[in-house]
Protein backbone atom coordinates (compact mmCIF):
# COMPACT_ATOMS: atom_id res chain seq x y z
CA UNK A 1 0.00 0.00 0.00
CA UNK A 2 1.22 3.50 -0.87
CA UNK A 3 0.99 5.83 2.13
CA UNK A 4 3.48 8.56 1.31
CA UNK A 5 3.87 11.10 -1.47
CA UNK A 6 6.65 13.40 -2.57
CA UNK A 7 5.96 16.68 -4.36
CA UNK A 8 9.05 18.32 -5.85
CA UNK A 9 8.61 22.09 -5.66
CA UNK A 10 12.08 23.59 -5.64
CA UNK A 11 12.30 24.75 -9.28
CA UNK A 12 12.83 28.39 -10.19
CA UNK A 13 9.78 28.77 -12.41
CA UNK A 14 11.71 30.68 -15.07
CA UNK A 15 8.93 30.07 -17.61
CA UNK A 16 6.63 32.29 -15.54
CA UNK A 17 8.85 35.29 -14.92
CA UNK A 18 8.30 37.95 -13.76
CA UNK A 19 5.37 36.43 -11.76
CA UNK A 20 7.72 33.95 -10.13
CA UNK A 21 10.53 36.35 -9.31
CA UNK A 22 9.42 36.64 -5.69
CA UNK A 23 6.76 33.94 -5.31
CA UNK A 24 6.83 30.18 -5.88
CA UNK A 25 5.35 29.02 -9.19
CA UNK A 26 3.46 26.37 -7.20
CA UNK A 27 1.44 29.20 -5.60
CA UNK A 28 0.16 30.55 -8.93
CA UNK A 29 -3.60 30.18 -8.63
CA UNK A 30 -6.09 28.53 -10.91
CA UNK A 31 -8.88 31.01 -10.13
CA UNK A 32 -8.54 31.16 -6.32
CA UNK A 33 -6.65 27.99 -5.43
CA UNK A 34 -2.86 27.61 -5.64
CA UNK A 35 -1.87 24.86 -8.05
CA UNK A 36 -0.03 22.95 -5.33
CA UNK A 37 -3.28 22.68 -3.34
CA UNK A 38 -4.89 20.78 -6.24
CA UNK A 39 -1.89 18.44 -6.25
CA UNK A 40 -1.99 17.87 -2.48
CA UNK A 41 -5.75 17.28 -2.76
CA UNK A 42 -5.15 14.58 -5.41
CA UNK A 43 -2.75 12.77 -3.07
CA UNK A 44 -5.21 13.04 -0.18
CA UNK A 45 -8.09 11.82 -2.38
CA UNK A 46 -5.89 8.84 -3.26
CA UNK A 47 -5.65 7.84 0.41
CA UNK A 48 -2.22 9.38 1.08
CA UNK A 49 -1.87 11.56 4.15
CA UNK A 50 1.90 11.83 4.51
CA UNK A 51 3.31 14.31 2.03
CA UNK A 52 6.88 15.51 1.69
CA UNK A 53 7.33 18.71 -0.28
CA UNK A 54 10.82 19.25 -1.68
CA UNK A 55 11.16 22.95 -1.26
CA UNK A 56 13.98 25.43 -1.69
CA UNK A 57 14.95 29.08 -1.71
CA UNK A 58 12.03 31.49 -1.93
CA UNK A 59 9.38 28.83 -1.31
CA UNK A 60 8.23 29.79 2.17
CA UNK A 61 4.77 30.82 0.97
CA UNK A 62 4.04 27.11 0.39
CA UNK A 63 4.73 26.34 4.05
CA UNK A 64 2.57 29.24 5.15
CA UNK A 65 -0.25 28.09 2.87
CA UNK A 66 -0.49 24.68 4.55
CA UNK A 67 -0.11 26.12 8.07
CA UNK A 68 -2.81 27.58 10.33
CA UNK A 69 -3.29 31.35 10.15
CA UNK A 70 -5.12 31.99 13.39
CA UNK A 71 -5.28 35.79 12.96
CA UNK A 72 -6.80 35.43 9.50
CA UNK A 73 -9.31 32.85 10.70
CA UNK A 74 -10.36 35.19 13.52
CA UNK A 75 -10.83 38.06 11.09
CA UNK A 76 -13.09 36.08 8.74
CA UNK A 77 -16.81 36.21 8.89
CA UNK A 78 -18.19 32.82 9.95
CA UNK A 79 -21.10 33.15 7.57
CA UNK A 80 -19.26 32.37 4.36
CA UNK A 81 -17.45 29.40 5.89
CA UNK A 82 -14.07 30.71 4.76
CA UNK A 83 -12.50 30.31 8.21
CA UNK A 84 -13.38 26.61 8.16
CA UNK A 85 -11.95 26.28 4.68
CA UNK A 86 -8.69 27.90 5.88
CA UNK A 87 -8.50 25.39 8.74
CA UNK A 88 -9.29 22.51 6.38
CA UNK A 89 -6.30 23.42 4.18
CA UNK A 90 -3.98 23.31 7.21
CA UNK A 91 -5.39 19.92 8.23
CA UNK A 92 -5.50 18.25 4.80
CA UNK A 93 -2.51 16.00 5.42
CA UNK A 94 0.70 15.66 7.41
CA UNK A 95 2.88 17.86 5.27
CA UNK A 96 6.64 17.84 5.73
CA UNK A 97 9.24 19.98 4.04
CA UNK A 98 12.86 19.51 3.11
CA UNK A 99 14.97 21.93 1.11
CA UNK A 100 16.88 20.98 -2.01
CA UNK A 101 20.07 22.94 -1.48
CA UNK A 102 21.16 23.16 -5.09
CA UNK A 103 18.95 22.79 -8.16
CA UNK A 104 20.53 19.73 -9.72
CA UNK A 105 17.46 18.22 -11.36
CA UNK A 106 14.33 16.18 -10.64
CA UNK A 107 16.26 13.00 -9.80
CA UNK A 108 18.35 14.91 -7.28
CA UNK A 109 15.20 16.47 -5.77
CA UNK A 110 13.65 13.02 -5.26
CA UNK A 111 16.88 11.81 -3.65
CA UNK A 112 16.25 14.25 -0.78
CA UNK A 113 13.23 12.12 0.18
CA UNK A 114 15.20 8.94 0.92
CA UNK A 115 15.25 9.21 4.70
CA UNK A 116 11.63 10.23 4.97
CA UNK A 117 10.51 7.41 2.70
CA UNK A 118 12.54 4.59 4.25
CA UNK A 119 11.58 1.18 2.86
CA UNK A 120 8.13 1.94 1.42
CA UNK A 121 6.77 2.56 -2.06
CA UNK A 122 5.76 6.19 -2.59
CA UNK A 123 3.95 8.41 -5.05
CA UNK A 124 5.57 11.34 -6.84
CA UNK A 125 3.35 14.16 -8.07
CA UNK A 126 4.91 16.92 -10.15
CA UNK A 127 3.45 20.29 -9.26
CA UNK A 128 3.06 21.59 -12.80
CA UNK A 129 0.42 19.04 -13.70
CA UNK A 130 -3.12 18.82 -12.46
CA UNK A 131 -5.51 16.17 -13.66
CA UNK A 132 -9.26 16.31 -13.74
CA UNK A 133 -10.55 12.76 -13.43
CA UNK A 134 -13.27 10.70 -11.81
CA UNK A 135 -10.76 8.49 -9.99
CA UNK A 136 -7.73 10.52 -8.80
CA UNK A 137 -4.77 9.70 -11.03
CA UNK A 138 -2.49 8.77 -8.13
CA UNK A 139 -5.19 6.33 -7.01
CA UNK A 140 -5.24 4.83 -10.54
CA UNK A 141 -1.47 4.27 -10.30
CA UNK A 142 -1.72 2.84 -6.78
CA UNK A 143 -4.21 0.26 -8.07
CA UNK A 144 -1.68 -0.87 -10.70
CA UNK A 145 1.09 -0.90 -8.10
CA UNK A 146 -0.98 -3.14 -5.83
CA UNK A 147 -1.24 -5.61 -8.70
CA UNK A 148 2.42 -5.68 -9.85
CA UNK A 149 4.43 -4.33 -6.86
CA UNK A 150 6.79 -2.56 -9.24
CA UNK A 151 7.42 1.01 -10.35
CA UNK A 152 4.47 2.51 -12.24
CA UNK A 153 4.71 5.61 -14.42
CA UNK A 154 1.69 7.59 -15.65
CA UNK A 155 1.74 8.31 -19.38
CA UNK A 156 -0.45 10.07 -21.92
CA UNK A 157 -0.33 10.26 -25.71
CA UNK A 158 1.12 13.47 -27.09
CA UNK A 159 1.44 14.66 -30.71
CA UNK A 160 4.62 13.20 -32.20
CA UNK A 161 6.17 16.62 -32.82
CA UNK A 162 5.96 17.40 -29.10
CA UNK A 163 7.86 14.38 -27.78
CA UNK A 164 11.01 16.41 -27.12
CA UNK A 165 9.20 18.25 -24.31
CA UNK A 166 8.72 15.06 -22.27
CA UNK A 167 10.17 11.83 -20.99
CA UNK A 168 8.99 9.17 -23.46
CA UNK A 169 8.52 5.46 -22.86
CA UNK A 170 8.70 2.46 -25.14
CA UNK A 171 7.40 -0.99 -24.28
CA UNK A 172 5.21 -4.00 -24.78
CA UNK A 173 1.46 -3.35 -24.47
CA UNK A 174 -0.24 -5.62 -21.93
CA UNK A 175 -3.64 -4.01 -22.56
CA UNK A 176 -5.02 -0.77 -24.07
CA UNK A 177 -3.79 1.17 -21.05
CA UNK A 178 -0.83 -0.76 -19.65
CA UNK A 179 2.74 -1.29 -20.92
CA UNK A 180 5.72 -3.20 -19.65
CA UNK A 181 8.64 -0.92 -20.44
CA UNK A 182 11.61 -1.73 -22.62
CA UNK A 183 12.96 1.80 -22.75
CA UNK A 184 12.50 5.34 -21.53
CA UNK A 185 14.27 8.45 -22.62
CA UNK A 186 14.17 12.07 -21.50
CA UNK A 187 13.18 14.59 -24.18
CA UNK A 188 14.09 12.58 -27.29
CA UNK A 189 14.25 14.02 -30.80
CA UNK A 190 11.05 13.01 -32.68
CA UNK A 191 13.01 10.80 -35.10
CA UNK A 192 14.56 8.72 -32.31
CA UNK A 193 11.56 8.61 -29.98
CA UNK A 194 10.41 5.12 -28.97
CA UNK A 195 6.71 6.19 -29.04
CA UNK A 196 4.46 9.16 -28.41
CA UNK A 197 3.64 8.05 -24.84
CA UNK A 198 4.82 10.85 -22.58
CA UNK A 199 5.55 10.66 -18.87
CA UNK A 200 2.69 12.60 -17.34
CA UNK A 201 4.07 13.86 -14.03
CA UNK A 202 2.82 11.08 -11.74
CA UNK A 203 4.80 8.03 -10.56
CA UNK A 204 4.73 5.27 -8.00
CA UNK A 205 8.35 4.59 -7.09
CA UNK A 206 10.01 2.09 -4.81
CA UNK A 207 13.01 2.81 -2.54
CA UNK A 208 15.20 1.05 -5.18
CA UNK A 209 15.15 4.34 -7.08
CA UNK A 210 17.46 5.97 -4.51
CA UNK A 211 20.32 3.59 -5.37
CA UNK A 212 19.94 4.22 -9.08
CA UNK A 213 19.76 8.02 -8.58
CA UNK A 214 23.13 7.77 -6.80
CA UNK A 215 24.52 6.09 -9.90
CA UNK A 216 22.96 8.49 -12.40
CA UNK A 217 25.20 11.05 -14.09
CA UNK A 218 23.90 14.46 -15.16
CA UNK A 219 21.91 14.17 -18.42
CA UNK A 220 19.69 16.63 -20.33
CA UNK A 221 20.36 20.24 -19.23
CA UNK A 222 23.24 18.89 -17.17
CA UNK A 223 20.71 17.79 -14.52
CA UNK A 224 20.27 14.49 -12.67
CA UNK A 225 17.17 13.30 -14.51
CA UNK A 226 14.62 11.02 -12.84
CA UNK A 227 14.01 9.45 -16.25
CA UNK A 228 17.70 8.45 -16.49
CA UNK A 229 17.59 6.90 -13.00
CA UNK A 230 14.45 4.97 -14.00
CA UNK A 231 16.22 3.77 -17.14
CA UNK A 232 18.99 2.35 -15.00
CA UNK A 233 16.39 0.71 -12.77
CA UNK A 234 14.81 -0.84 -15.86
CA UNK A 235 18.06 -2.72 -16.54
CA UNK A 236 17.49 -4.46 -13.15
CA UNK A 237 13.72 -4.87 -12.77
CA UNK A 238 10.39 -4.44 -14.54
CA UNK A 239 8.68 -1.08 -14.79
CA UNK A 240 5.08 -0.50 -15.90
CA UNK A 241 3.36 2.46 -17.51
CA UNK A 242 -0.31 3.23 -17.27
CA UNK A 243 -2.25 5.52 -19.59
CA UNK A 244 -4.16 7.74 -17.21
CA UNK A 245 -7.88 8.28 -17.40
CA UNK A 246 -8.62 11.96 -17.09
CA UNK A 247 -7.72 15.28 -18.56
CA UNK A 248 -4.21 16.49 -17.81
CA UNK A 249 -3.56 20.20 -17.49
CA UNK A 250 0.06 21.17 -17.96
CA UNK A 251 0.34 24.41 -16.08
CA UNK A 252 4.10 24.65 -16.56
CA UNK A 253 3.73 26.93 -19.56
CA UNK A 254 1.76 30.14 -20.02
CA UNK A 255 -0.60 29.10 -22.80
CA UNK A 256 -1.67 25.88 -21.08
CA UNK A 257 -1.98 27.76 -17.80
CA UNK A 258 -4.39 30.18 -19.48
CA UNK A 259 -6.40 27.33 -20.99
CA UNK A 260 -6.58 25.64 -17.60
CA UNK A 261 -7.87 28.81 -15.96
CA UNK A 262 -10.58 29.23 -18.60
CA UNK A 263 -11.69 25.58 -18.41
CA UNK A 264 -11.76 25.56 -14.62
CA UNK A 265 -13.73 28.81 -14.58
CA UNK A 266 -16.29 27.28 -16.96
CA UNK A 267 -16.63 24.35 -14.56
CA UNK A 268 -17.19 26.52 -11.48
CA UNK A 269 -20.85 26.88 -10.56
CA UNK A 270 -20.70 30.58 -9.75
CA UNK A 271 -18.85 31.54 -12.94
CA UNK A 272 -20.04 29.02 -15.52
CA UNK A 273 -23.00 30.96 -16.92
CA UNK A 274 -21.72 34.57 -16.83
CA UNK A 275 -18.21 33.60 -17.95
CA UNK A 276 -19.50 31.52 -20.87
CA UNK A 277 -21.74 34.40 -21.91
CA UNK A 278 -18.80 36.80 -21.72
CA UNK A 279 -16.53 34.52 -23.76
CA UNK A 280 -19.18 33.96 -26.43
CA UNK A 281 -19.73 37.68 -26.82
CA UNK A 282 -16.00 38.33 -26.84
CA UNK A 283 -15.32 35.73 -29.50
CA UNK A 284 -18.19 36.65 -31.78
CA UNK A 285 -17.04 40.25 -31.58
CA UNK A 286 -20.40 41.43 -30.27
CA UNK A 287 -19.25 43.37 -27.19
CA UNK A 288 -22.08 45.75 -26.46
C1 LIG B 1 9.55 16.46 -16.27
C2 LIG B 1 10.10 15.04 -16.52
C3 LIG B 1 9.55 14.49 -17.84
C4 LIG B 1 8.03 14.54 -17.83
C5 LIG B 1 7.55 15.96 -17.54
C6 LIG B 1 6.03 16.00 -17.39
O1 LIG B 1 10.09 17.33 -17.24
O2 LIG B 1 11.51 15.09 -16.52
O3 LIG B 1 10.01 13.18 -18.01
O4 LIG B 1 7.53 14.10 -19.07
O5 LIG B 1 8.13 16.47 -16.33
O6 LIG B 1 5.56 17.30 -17.17
P1 LIG B 1 10.03 18.95 -17.10
O7 LIG B 1 8.63 19.34 -17.50
O8 LIG B 1 10.34 19.27 -15.69
O9 LIG B 1 11.05 19.46 -18.07
Amino acid sequence: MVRKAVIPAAGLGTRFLPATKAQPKEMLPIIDTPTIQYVVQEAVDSGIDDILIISGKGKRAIEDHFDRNVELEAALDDEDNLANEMRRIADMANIHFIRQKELRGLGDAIYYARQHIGEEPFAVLLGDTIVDSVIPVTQQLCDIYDQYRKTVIAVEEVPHEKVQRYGIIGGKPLSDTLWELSDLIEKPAPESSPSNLAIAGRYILTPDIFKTIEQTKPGKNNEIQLTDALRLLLSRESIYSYKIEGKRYDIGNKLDYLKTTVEFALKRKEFAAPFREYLELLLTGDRS
Side-chain angles (χ1 to χ4, degrees):
M1 199 165 113
V2 179
R3 300 182 311 136
K4 292 180 179 173
V6 174
I7 302 179
L12 289 176
T14 49
R15 279 181 286 188
F16 266 96
L17 286 170
T20 47
K21 187 178 173 209
Q23 74 168 327
K25 68 171 174 183
E26 295 76 12
M27 291 301 292
L28 292 175
I30 304 296
I31 310 181
D32 53 6
T33 302
T35 54
I36 195 161
Q37 190 181 319
Y38 290 96
V39 178
V40 167
Q41 187 69 54
E42 180 193 318
V44 170
D45 291 344
S46 304
I48 292 171
D49 67 354
D50 181 309
I51 296 172
L52 178 67
I53 296 181
I54 315 291
S55 139
K57 255 185 225 70
K59 301 284 183 165
R60 242 180 245 153
I62 302 176
E63 288 185 44
D64 287 342
H65 185 71
F66 291 106
D67 195 2
R68 287 283 299 275
N69 185 338
V70 180
E71 293 77 13
L72 174 67
E73 288 166 25
L76 289 170
D77 200 341
D78 268 341
E79 260 172 49
D80 44 19
N81 217 20
L82 262 179
N84 279 337
E85 177 58 11
M86 295 308 105
R87 268 190 292 273
R88 185 193 72 81
I89 294 167
D91 290 339
M92 279 170 87
N94 294 317
I95 302 187
H96 312 267
F97 293 88
I98 189 165
R99 284 165 73 104
Q100 187 184 18
K101 298 199 176 84
E102 228 184 298
L103 298 178
R104 297 177 62 222
L106 181 58
D108 180 68
I110 300 296
Y111 192 67
Y112 278 79
R114 68 196 179 283
Q115 265 165 357
H116 186 86
I117 293 300
E119 289 305 314
E120 294 183 47
F122 61 103
V124 170
L125 296 85
L126 303 190
D128 51 11
T129 286
I130 52 188
V131 188
D132 190 20
S133 60
V134 181
I135 300 170
V137 174
T138 296
Q139 176 72 61
Q140 296 176 26
L141 297 186
C142 288
D143 293 345
I144 303 289
Y145 175 81
D146 286 341
Q147 237 177 302
Y148 292 92
R149 308 258 147 197
K150 295 281 183 218
T151 301
V152 186
I153 304 173
V155 290
E156 66 165 358
E157 283 178 51
V158 296
H160 211 79
E161 65 278 10
K162 290 197 176 153
V163 290
Q164 70 268 47
R165 284 199 202 168
Y166 298 94
I168 301 288
I169 65 126
K172 181 175 80 175
L174 302 179
S175 74
D176 287 349
T177 50
L178 193 64
W179 286 264
E180 186 173 348
L181 299 203
S182 55
D183 198 9
L184 68 170
I185 170 161
E186 184 65 15
K187 302 190 172 65
E191 57 279 12
S192 53
S193 184
S195 75
N196 67 336
L197 291 165
I199 298 175
R202 299 289 186 270
Y203 312 74
I204 306 293
L205 303 179
T206 70
D208 294 344
I209 195 67
F210 298 121
K211 271 178 259 124
T212 59
I213 293 173
E214 274 171 21
Q215 295 158 357
T216 299
K217 306 225 155 47
K220 281 265 147 67
N221 302 330
N222 208 24
E223 292 179 344
I224 312 271
Q225 296 290 347
L226 179 60
T227 305
D228 294 343
L230 285 163
R231 193 175 205 206
L232 192 55
L233 187 68
L234 183 62
S235 64
R236 299 170 190 174
E237 59 182 64
S238 321
I239 298 181
Y240 295 87
S241 265
Y242 176 72
K243 187 159 93 178
I244 54 177
E245 262 166 59
K247 177 148 189 200
R248 186 173 101 95
Y249 294 90
D250 183 354
I251 45 167
N253 70 77
K254 290 176 204 173
L255 181 60
D256 286 331
Y257 176 77
L258 274 175
K259 290 180 188 170
T260 307
T261 302
V262 170
E263 284 192 39
F264 275 54
L266 288 171
K267 279 186 231 169
R268 276 276 282 263
K269 243 198 309 181
E270 70 265 49
F271 302 127
F275 192 49
R276 179 175 300 278
E277 193 183 333
Y278 165 76
L279 286 179
E280 273 166 6
L281 286 176
L282 184 72
L283 296 175
T284 54
D286 184 7
R287 297 173 66 194
S288 43

